Amino acid sequence: MDYITSFHGILETLKAKPSQMKILLASGQGSRKPGPRIRGILELAKKKGIAVDQVGQDMLDRIDPDNKGVALSVLGKDVEKSLSLDDFLENPPDGALVIILDHIEDPQNFGAILRSADAFGANLVVAPTRRASPLGDAAARTSAGASAWVPVAFVQNLTDAVKRLQGKGFWVYAADMGGAPLSGLHLPAKTCFVLGNEGEGVSRLLVETSDAVVSIPMRGHVDSLNVSVAAALFMYEYRRAHGE
């Protein structure tokens, strides 16, 4: 069982996947007029047929010390808008943007990337099942609810996933400071960007498997960007290149 406690995360998850969930409302909230955000959550829960349970404030504090008096209880497998890579590759769109996350460990980075993926219309985010941030409340909170909408495929082997995407016509670009400038590339309709671990970057095997290595030109004094910022720039450039 997982819990989402941010207002945005609760609302967007209720909108996207109303099954196998329930609202946990702090005792006392029901006896006084709730604030507009909680009222909106309760109204949407009623509309979706989601149960509301009154619980002690101490229980919510154990779930998240920074809670606002409400939480959404959801089965772990339903926290993300999951999609198998098999299903995606069965009939991929002619124009599609895929983001592969090579062992992103910080849930805030994971959530921020999902927020950008939603904003720029990424068709799929691929992440490993091991040695990576879980898509729990911290990621959902940072994504501002986008985790409820962005399709995420969890895979055992990222290199195999890259090869399978290439087999379906995707060009795969690994992000690395030593790569060709992103702005000088012609990005095809089927594009996949590989973004690396916060400390180690993209693994050597994934770099070697990719079709090219790309970078974001830097002019400042630091030599790299936060991975979530870099992800947003890559996604924006894809959309700009395709006139969207």
Side-chain angles (χ1 to χ4, degrees):
M1 191 69 68
D2 284 300
Y3 300 94
I4 298 173
T5 59
S6 69
F7 290 135
H8 283 299
I10 292 173
L11 280 170
E12 296 304 323
T13 304
L14 284 174
K15 292 175 186 177
K17 298 183 298 297
S19 63
Q20 303 187 72
M21 303 176 189
K22 64 180 177 180
I23 296 292
L24 304 180
L25 186 67
S27 299
Q29 289 281 5
S31 62
R32 64 176 185 267
K33 186 176 181 180
R37 289 186 171 183
I38 292 181
R39 189 162 61 248
I41 288 171
L42 295 178
E43 290 172 355
L44 182 57
K46 182 178 180 180
K47 181 179 179 181
K48 296 285 188 178
I50 303 299
V52 177
D53 286 357
Q54 295 275 331
V55 299
Q57 182 63 51
D58 58 338
M59 178 179 177
L60 292 179
D61 290 342
R62 288 195 299 272
I63 292 171
D64 178 7
D66 296 323
N67 75 86
K68 306 300 183 183
V70 65
L72 180 66
S73 171
V74 57
L75 289 179
K77 66 183 181 64
D78 289 332
V79 171
E80 73 280 347
K81 187 177 178 67
S82 60
L83 174 73
S84 75
L85 186 60
D86 289 338
D87 289 342
F88 178 78
L89 292 177
E90 188 173 323
N91 188 26
D94 291 334
L97 172 62
V98 175
I99 306 299
I100 289 184
L101 305 182
D102 184 8
H103 298 93
I104 300 300
E105 297 176 343
D106 186 337
Q108 292 188 335
N109 281 335
F110 198 176
I113 291 169
L114 291 178
R115 187 171 185 174
S116 294
D118 179 60
F120 293 111
N123 299 84
L124 183 69
V125 171
V126 180
T129 55
R130 300 178 59 190
R131 295 190 299 111
S133 165
L135 191 46
D137 185 44
R141 182 187 297 273
T142 308
S143 77
S147 60
W149 297 105
V150 178
V152 179
F154 292 95
V155 299
Q156 295 285 339
N157 189 304
L158 291 177
T159 303
D160 176 68
V162 165
K163 292 178 179 178
R164 294 181 64 194
L165 285 160
Q166 289 169 325
K168 289 292 185 176
F170 281 86
W171 280 75
V172 179
Y173 300 92
D176 186 85
M177 289 184 296
L182 176 64
S183 58
L185 295 177
H186 170 70
L187 296 173
K190 289 184 175 180
T191 288
C192 174
F193 292 117
V194 183
L195 297 155
N197 172 271
E198 291 91 344
E200 301 175 3
V202 180
S203 68
R204 178 184 57 81
L205 186 56
L206 279 177
V207 169
E208 293 174 352
T209 307
S210 298
D211 297 294
V213 181
V214 295
S215 65
I216 298 169
M218 307 285 290
R219 294 190 177 185
H221 296 88
V222 296
D223 60 1
S224 65
L225 292 169
N226 174 277
V227 65
S228 66
V229 175
L233 292 174
F234 281 118
M235 287 185 262
Y236 168 78
E237 187 65 21
Y238 172 85
R239 290 301 172 197
R240 188 194 67 80
H242 289 276
E244 301 179 31

